[in-house]
Amino acid sequence: MELPSPRQKAFFEQAATSYQQQLHADTTAQAYLTSRGISPAVASTFRLGVVRQPLVGHERYAGRLCLPYITPAGVVNFTFRCLALQCERCKADADDGGHPKYMNTQLETTLYNVLDLGTPSQTIHVCEGELDALTLSAAGLPAIGAPGVKSWKPWYSICLADFAEVFVWADADTAGRKFASFMEKELKARRVALPIGEDVNSVYVRAGAEGLHHLIRG
């Protein structure tokens, strides 16, 4: 895996800081986060931002939510998400790349929210989406976001090997079931079944942190 150069890391830090500051004055992005149950404090912890004035090279991400990938060494990557809750363009153009819901940099995919791997806990939670991982972590459940079966790297398993229990949160669709089955075989993970038509974040918005904890107990 190729690591970001010092120059790249300095640019990433500049970008994360700039987009975080832009979020403070952006009512549209703030309303979106509120609708997803993400408080200003949580947004600050995860250094969420919005791209209204993109830095050079980030012009194609304009208007999107910025989710930095943060490690103990700083910001090492980004994902940029469409801010619309129900975006018809995302649905219509997702297959041909015209307006994908998520856009990534050209860097190799990595795990999201790896700082939670250092949380003093015997359990870790794994899901495919950044916002779902963020939601679980904010609800008191240490979590990482993984890029899916096709992009899974052998060292991801090593990172999770020391945890006594691994929970995998599976969306009720083909991709979600495939990912959960893989995690059950790869790490003997316990599958947490989400209600049909819901994901981690929608459960949290509807039922709060207790709703997520209830699914684990169930």
Side-chain angles (χ1 to χ4, degrees):
M1 176 180 175
E2 183 179 351
L3 298 175
S5 68
R7 184 175 179 179
Q8 283 177 310
K9 288 175 65 177
F11 174 76
F12 292 164
E13 178 60 34
Q14 179 188 5
T17 299
S18 176
Y19 301 149
Q20 201 174 0
Q21 291 172 346
Q22 291 176 43
L23 175 64
H24 296 160
D26 195 294
T27 55
T28 299
Q30 289 176 14
Y32 170 81
L33 292 176
T34 298
S35 72
R36 302 296 297 261
I38 299 172
S39 69
V42 171
S44 178
T45 296
F46 289 89
R47 301 193 64 184
L48 303 185
V50 66
V51 186
R52 295 302 183 194
Q53 300 175 39
L55 273 64
V56 175
H58 281 185
E59 291 83 3
R60 68 193 189 108
Y61 308 127
R64 289 177 173 264
L65 183 73
C66 173
L67 297 103
Y69 279 55
I70 304 170
T71 75
V75 180
V76 297
N77 210 341
F78 296 98
T79 288
F80 301 89
R81 190 197 191 283
C82 176
L83 277 170
L85 283 173
Q86 298 293 332
C87 180
E88 295 302 321
R89 291 180 64 204
C90 285
K91 296 176 182 178
D93 300 331
D95 292 335
D96 61 24
H99 185 77
K101 182 181 293 185
Y102 288 93
M103 296 178 70
N104 301 308
T105 65
Q106 299 303 309
L107 293 175
E108 186 177 357
T109 56
T110 56
L111 296 174
Y112 175 75
N113 196 37
V114 296
L115 294 180
D116 269 17
L117 295 176
T119 302
S121 172
Q122 293 297 308
T123 63
I124 190 72
H125 300 259
V126 184
C127 49
E128 290 188 88
E130 291 92 350
L131 285 178
D132 282 349
L134 180 158
T135 299
L136 287 170
S137 184
L141 301 169
I144 59 167
V149 175
K150 291 183 179 180
S151 299
W152 188 266
K153 308 292 193 306
W155 55 87
Y156 295 170
S157 300
I158 296 173
C159 291
L160 303 177
D162 285 343
F163 290 94
E165 199 164 30
V166 178
F167 290 90
V168 56
W169 295 72
D171 291 347
D173 57 21
T174 301
R177 288 189 290 270
K178 184 176 180 180
F179 180 67
S181 295
F182 170 78
M183 291 297 295
E184 287 174 327
K185 295 176 182 177
E186 180 76 5
L187 291 166
K188 295 182 173 58
R190 286 182 55 191
R191 185 184 305 211
V192 180
L194 288 157
I196 294 176
E198 293 206 67
D199 57 20
V200 169
N201 184 259
S202 67
V203 171
Y204 179 74
V205 171
R206 173 176 57 81
E210 178 56 30
L212 296 173
H213 287 265
H214 177 75
L215 288 176
I216 299 171
R217 294 193 297 267

